[in-house]
Amino acid sequence: LRTQLAAIARSKQRIYIQNAYFTSDDMIYELAKARRRGVDVRIIIPYQSDSGVINRSNVTAMNAMLANGIRVFIYPKESHIKGAIYDGWICLGSANFDQLSLRINKEMNIATSHPQAVQAFLEQVMYPDFEKSVELTEPLPEKWSDFLMETIADQL
């Protein structure tokens, strides 16, 4: 988490992330700061994850990102891709952006700045998934329980 937060803070051109779990408030805050610096920030989140709590928590996360000028794309089905591009550096692995993956399970990612690997990930995963996704242009309807789910998800 610290490494990816540092990558966000250092990004100057683009941040593209695909992940099903966005429960890290620190991550959303840093992404909003990057967007205010003029970085092209785009997020792909699947319409459905494997957790109802996360599905509802993601509604508040997506609305917060949208309110901060971050482009949010909703992938039409379930996706377990956990990948990010920060300028010319990619990070891939098993870790979601949640406490369970990043602090408790200590899941791992790999990273590289090898230009061919970055380009291949863009062309084979990110660009096609942006095309398959629907860009969010208006906030999603929120229920009072979404804020409760977000509080619960913060602890997961």
Side-chain angles (χ1 to χ4, degrees):
L1 176 61
R2 286 188 302 269
T3 301
Q4 292 197 68
L5 290 173
I8 292 169
R10 289 183 179 99
S11 292
K12 293 178 175 49
Q13 298 169 324
R14 73 171 165 222
I15 298 169
Y16 297 167
I17 297 173
Q18 186 166 175
N19 202 299
Y21 290 53
F22 270 90
T23 66
S24 169
D25 293 338
D26 292 339
M27 180 73 66
I28 295 169
Y29 177 75
E30 288 299 327
L31 290 169
K33 283 177 35 180
R35 183 65 201 110
R36 282 193 296 277
R37 287 193 315 271
V39 177
D40 177 12
V41 181
R42 301 180 195 186
I43 307 299
I44 299 174
I45 299 177
Y47 180 71
Q48 292 288 329
S49 76
D50 56 358
S51 168
V53 170
I54 298 301
N55 290 337
R56 295 314 310 169
S57 172
N58 277 347
V59 169
T60 61
M62 288 187 275
N63 287 346
M65 288 187 270
L66 186 65
N68 282 283
I70 296 167
R71 294 179 69 189
V72 178
F73 294 80
I74 300 175
Y75 191 73
K77 51 189 174 182
E78 212 171 296
S79 170
H80 288 284
I81 293 174
K82 291 116 176 146
I85 296 178
Y86 307 103
D87 292 338
W89 183 74
I90 60 173
C91 184
L92 304 164
S94 64
N96 291 303
F97 293 138
D98 64 359
Q99 298 291 334
L100 189 61
S101 288
L102 297 169
R103 293 205 172 105
I104 297 168
N105 290 347
K106 298 185 191 251
E107 295 187 38
M108 295 190 61
N109 288 358
I110 59 170
T112 184
S113 58
H114 190 271
Q116 287 85 358
V118 173
Q119 194 62 35
F121 186 67
L122 276 169
E123 291 175 5
Q124 295 174 25
V125 177
M126 295 305 285
Y127 292 150
D129 286 356
F130 282 129
E131 287 294 318
K132 292 175 194 168
S133 300
V134 175
E135 186 168 3
L136 190 62
T137 58
E138 297 289 327
L140 294 169
E142 294 176 328
K143 302 175 187 176
W144 69 267
S145 58
D146 294 344
F147 297 96
L148 176 62
M149 294 299 114
E150 197 268 334
T151 301
I152 293 168
D154 282 349
Q155 306 309 309
L156 295 177

